[in-house]
Amino acid sequence: MVVFCCERGVRVKIAIIGAGISAAAATKLLIAQGQSVSVFEKSRGPGGRMSSKRASAGSFDFGAQYFTARTGGFQQQVQQWQQQGLVQVWPVVPYSFSQSILSPSADDEIRYIGTSTMHQMLAAEFTGATLHFDCKINELSFVCSNVSSQSRGQWQLCSEQGECFGGFDLLLLTCPPEQARQLLQGAALSLQIPEQALLPCWAVLLELSTPTHHPAQAIFVQQGKSRWIAKQSAKPGRHHARLQENLNEAPEQWLVHLSPEVSAVELETMPEQISAMAALELSQVLGTEVKVAAALCHRWLYASYNSELPPCGVLFDHKLQLALCGDWTLGGRVENAWLSGVQAAQQLLQQQL
Ligand SMILES: Cc1cc2nc3c(=O)[nH]c(=O)nc-3n(C[C@H](O)[C@H](O)[C@H](O)COP(=O)(O)OP(=O)(O)OC[C@H]3O[C@@H](n4cnc5c(N)ncnc54)[C@H](O)[C@@H]3O)c2cc1C
């Protein structure tokens, strides 16, 4: 294996672990700069915590609900996605549930969603990279050559299935901090990874047998066991084509996110009990007893950022040709995840030039 560098106009081999939005941002930039990128993702496709899931009536957003664009770079990116028809504004008036009162609580925030799924725009961002899905990396090694003091080491990645991939000049980890720490056991950089930076969340989709016809579509819940409730069936573009034509026939579907505190306590609780808890929450917030026809639960061990922690920033170990990024390095949320991927890619390129 020959290690090339950019000065000689030859490509550097980069491995990226994870295929969420931070990895997408980094991949796009590195490919645009002519680098060779291989992406390793344990799930079946790209998306990470932005993934939408298939349900009987269409798809539902069980992770990120929407995203905002407050910085110039990300605004430009979102504009491009909008022009390509991959992203749209969600023109929702949020409600607030506090002191047992549910009321509209309009704000100036512009909320974006993927046109039919939250992660729809990500696939194209990985164009040009070699993609390995269903590939959970569980062992990393950094192999140093002792031929000359000038020569650099290279990374080797091995998957849970026992397959090994070698010869990478640079490694970028984009997985949640707990998973990054496990992979980097023994490396000095692992000591800089914050503890409990991402908090858990139970996400529950409730399909109702009788519609509530409640006008609220997105509710910030300030009390009780949930923190967010959304009428998924009213979100643009989420229905199967057959239902899209006659939305009145579509069953009403609500998504409930339990709070981080409750989710942490109930991590091992059976999904049936979790969906009953979510149904009770929905009834209390809407002020009417809901009748559930079907429920779907998803447990996120690492969901959203613990805002009590100061962000640690994108992490680098120049000697090991290693970087760590992801939403948790810059304070959580989709936009920060994207920004962290851009920052990590820029710094890795600088190191090589
Ligand atoms: C319930 C919930 C609600 C949210 N709501 C919002 C919201 O409304 N607005 C907002 O802006 N943000 C929201 N977020 C946060 C947002 O989803 C994240 O900030 C963003 O998606 C993180 O992207 P990322 O690339 O940093 O990480 P991730 O999306 O987590 O990507 C990391 C990837 O690494 C993969 N991986 C992990 N370990 C390995 C391994 N060993 N080998 C291979 N692959 C591995 C994972 O499968 C994953 O695909 C929410 C998140 C959740 C879970």
Side-chain angles (χ1 to χ4, degrees):
M1 175 58 58
V2 186
V3 180
F4 299 110
C5 75
C6 303
E7 284 166 313
R8 293 174 214 151
V10 189
R11 298 207 298 175
V12 168
K13 276 189 78 177
I14 302 164
I16 298 184
I17 301 182
I21 191 168
S22 60
T27 302
K28 185 177 179 181
L29 207 147
L30 292 167
I31 293 280
Q33 295 297 315
Q35 310 307 324
S36 160
V37 179
S38 296
V39 176
F40 300 87
E41 166 59 53
K42 67 178 181 170
S43 306
R44 272 179 295 168
R49 278 173 283 149
M50 289 181 78
S51 301
S52 301
K53 237 180 186 173
R54 274 170 216 271
S56 55
S59 69
F60 86 96
D61 306 328
F62 66 118
Q65 297 295 294
Y66 62 85
F67 53 89
T68 50
R70 297 169 186 159
T71 54
F74 193 55
Q75 278 165 357
Q76 259 181 9
Q77 176 62 80
V78 172
Q79 231 171 35
Q80 263 182 34
W81 286 332
Q82 275 185 290
Q83 282 159 5
Q84 294 164 347
L86 299 171
V87 159
Q88 65 183 91
V89 171
W90 184 22
V92 71
V93 175
Y95 276 57
S96 162
F97 182 70
S98 127
Q99 296 179 334
S100 301
I101 296 171
L102 178 60
S103 52
S105 174
D107 57 25
D108 296 333
E109 199 78 82
I110 301 175
R111 296 180 169 83
Y112 298 96
I113 55 173
T115 302
S116 61
T117 60
M118 279 305 288
H119 63 278
Q120 195 183 2
M121 74 298 263
L122 296 189
E125 307 295 294
F126 289 104
T127 304
T130 305
L131 302 174
H132 303 265
F133 292 120
D134 282 322
C135 185
K136 181 177 180 183
I137 298 301
N138 67 355
E139 204 181 310
L140 300 174
S141 40
F142 186 66
V143 185
C144 285
S145 154
N146 55 7
V147 177
S148 91
S149 57
Q150 297 261 304
S151 64
R152 292 163 171 245
Q154 291 191 326
W155 283 98
Q156 175 169 286
L157 285 62
C158 291
S159 75
E160 208 170 40
Q161 294 89 343
E163 219 179 333
C164 290
F165 309 86
F168 295 104
D169 308 307
L170 300 171
L171 174 64
L172 174 60
L173 266 71
T174 73
C175 38
E178 300 304 329
Q179 291 159 339
R181 191 182 300 106
Q182 274 169 24
L183 283 170
L184 289 177
Q185 262 173 18
L189 199 60
S190 68
L191 302 175
Q192 291 183 44
I193 301 174
E195 300 274 347
Q196 299 196 323
L198 294 180
L199 304 174
C201 176
W202 270 109
V204 185
L205 182 76
L206 299 169
E207 191 167 299
L208 305 189
S209 50
T210 318
T212 64
H213 299 299
H214 200 288
Q217 296 187 8
I219 307 169
F220 291 102
V221 185
Q222 326 277 351
Q223 65 183 81
K225 294 185 173 175
S226 58
R227 280 294 163 273
W228 167 261
I229 291 179
K231 194 193 269 182
Q232 175 71 26
S233 47
K235 217 169 176 179
R238 265 46 184 177
H239 294 99
H240 283 314
R242 68 183 155 80
L243 290 172
Q244 202 71 46
E245 284 162 19
N246 190 357
L247 287 181
N248 289 334
E249 280 180 21
E252 220 175 79
Q253 291 178 326
W254 290 83
L255 182 80
V256 178
H257 280 164
L258 297 185
S259 71
E261 298 78 20
V262 172
S263 299
V265 172
E266 306 290 351
L267 270 190
E268 303 304 328
T269 303
M270 298 300 285
E272 297 75 29
Q273 284 169 267
I274 294 294
S275 47
M277 198 182 285
L280 193 61
E281 279 295 305
L282 181 60
S283 298
Q284 280 169 359
V285 170
L286 297 184
T288 177
E289 195 185 334
V290 299
K291 295 200 169 38
V292 177
L296 201 58
C297 295
H298 183 87
R299 183 184 70 167
W300 293 99
L301 287 179
Y302 312 112
S304 42
Y305 189 69
N306 177 357
S307 55
E308 284 175 14
L309 294 181
C312 61
V314 173
L315 299 174
F316 289 92
D317 185 325
H318 292 285
K319 230 169 156 186
L320 285 182
Q321 298 139 232
L322 167 70
L324 265 71
C325 72
D327 63 336
W328 54 275
T329 59
L330 296 184
R333 296 188 299 107
V334 166
E335 179 169 14
N336 281 325
W338 187 88
L339 291 170
S340 76
V342 170
Q343 270 185 33
Q346 283 169 342
Q347 290 225 25
L348 286 173
L349 284 170
Q350 266 173 22
Q351 182 179 337
Q352 285 298 310
L353 288 168

